Amino acid sequence: MLVCSYISVTCNYYAAHSQIMSVRSKFFKSVLRQDMSWYDFNQSGEVASRMNEDLSKMEDGLGEKVVIFVHFIVAFIGSIVQAFVKGWQLSLVCLTSLPVTFIVMGFVAVATSKQRMNLNEPLTTIEFRYVEFQYPTRKEVPILNLKIDRGQTVALVGPSGCGKSTCIQLIQRYYVPQASDLYFNGTNIKDININWLYTYILYRKVRLNCCCWS
């Protein structure tokens, strides 16, 4: 089995490397065919970095992850077959308990997700109530008290590092305030289902009309 695993991993790595080289070549040719205006929005260094990072991840997925996935599937099926060969009565009892385990896990996942609520009404107000926040690498603690109503445009003005972008990241719940809270329609953002929040902001394309000026 060790020899077969080594051969399968080596063959998949070779196939993945060949595929990635082909994709890299076609991607590079496509970049060279772009109009000059395309390079105004995409810096050459950024394109090269993204190409190397993304293609490296693709190569890892095609070369190693596929082999591991097939290995676990084969091991799972082989274990079931061997269990039935050795003792089919006990194996049948264990298999009947497997759906029950999946159902219980599903109920636990649903209960966990329902601990936080969704906003079933249009978003009308975003309120910072004396929010205190600091980054792990910075000691400064900016304090913000602000209320933004629906349709209102707010300009955040200040020097670099004063917390303009941090306000947007707090609204997107990338960070959690150290003190006080942030409220959507009077509801604490900590009590809102984070999956619903990301779906509402990203897929519904909520426009955060906050202009950040230095």
Side-chain angles (χ1 to χ4, degrees):
M1 185 172 178
L2 180 62
V3 176
C4 293
S5 299
Y6 174 77
I7 294 175
S8 62
V9 171
T10 303
C11 292
N12 274 273
Y13 265 120
Y14 178 78
H17 182 72
S18 300
Q19 290 292 326
I20 294 302
M21 291 299 295
S22 177
V23 172
R24 190 188 301 271
S25 177
K26 292 181 179 179
F27 180 82
F28 185 70
K29 291 179 181 178
S30 177
V31 170
L32 294 179
R33 294 193 185 99
Q34 299 300 319
D35 295 332
M36 202 63 186
S37 59
W38 185 84
Y39 295 95
D40 295 334
F41 297 96
N42 300 273
Q43 301 296 327
S44 58
E46 181 182 356
V47 173
S49 177
R50 287 292 305 274
M51 182 175 65
N52 288 330
E53 292 178 2
D54 294 345
L55 292 181
S56 296
K57 293 177 182 178
M58 288 179 60
E59 186 174 2
D60 291 339
L62 293 174
E64 181 180 3
K65 302 300 188 299
V66 173
V67 178
I68 294 176
F69 175 76
V70 174
H71 172 76
F72 283 135
I73 292 297
V74 172
F76 176 74
I77 297 175
S79 299
I80 293 178
V81 173
Q82 187 176 9
F84 272 97
V85 171
K86 296 293 184 180
W88 65 270
Q89 296 93 341
L90 181 60
S91 302
L92 193 60
V93 172
C94 294
L95 283 180
T96 53
S97 64
L98 192 61
V100 177
T101 304
F102 286 144
I103 293 173
V104 172
M105 292 175 61
F107 276 120
V108 171
V110 171
T112 304
S113 64
K114 287 187 176 180
Q115 287 179 357
R116 301 185 183 276
M117 61 182 297
N118 300 340
L119 290 181
N120 297 321
E121 56 186 7
L123 182 60
T124 57
T125 58
I126 299 176
E127 185 177 0
F128 294 80
R129 295 184 184 176
Y130 298 99
V131 171
E132 297 182 7
F133 175 78
Q134 74 175 44
Y135 289 100
T137 56
R138 292 191 232 163
K139 299 297 183 181
E140 300 85 1
V141 183
I143 301 176
L144 181 65
N145 186 32
L146 174 67
K147 184 177 181 180
I148 305 173
D149 295 322
R150 184 181 181 91
Q152 183 179 8
T153 300
V154 177
L156 304 177
V157 183
S160 178
C162 71
K164 301 184 297 297
S165 300
T166 303
C167 294
I168 306 299
Q169 294 172 348
L170 288 173
I171 292 175
Q172 296 172 328
R173 207 179 167 191
Y174 292 162
Y175 297 99
V176 178
Q178 269 78 25
S180 193
D181 291 304
L182 178 64
Y183 293 86
F184 283 9
N185 290 359
T187 302
N188 194 324
I189 193 174
K190 295 178 182 177
D191 298 329
I192 298 176
N193 190 334
I194 191 170
N195 293 326
W196 177 91
L197 179 65
Y198 289 158
T199 302
Y200 191 86
I201 292 177
L202 297 177
Y203 292 98
R204 297 192 181 185
K205 299 181 179 178
V206 175
R207 297 184 62 184
L208 301 175
N209 294 325
C210 297
C211 304
C212 300
W213 295 335
S214 299

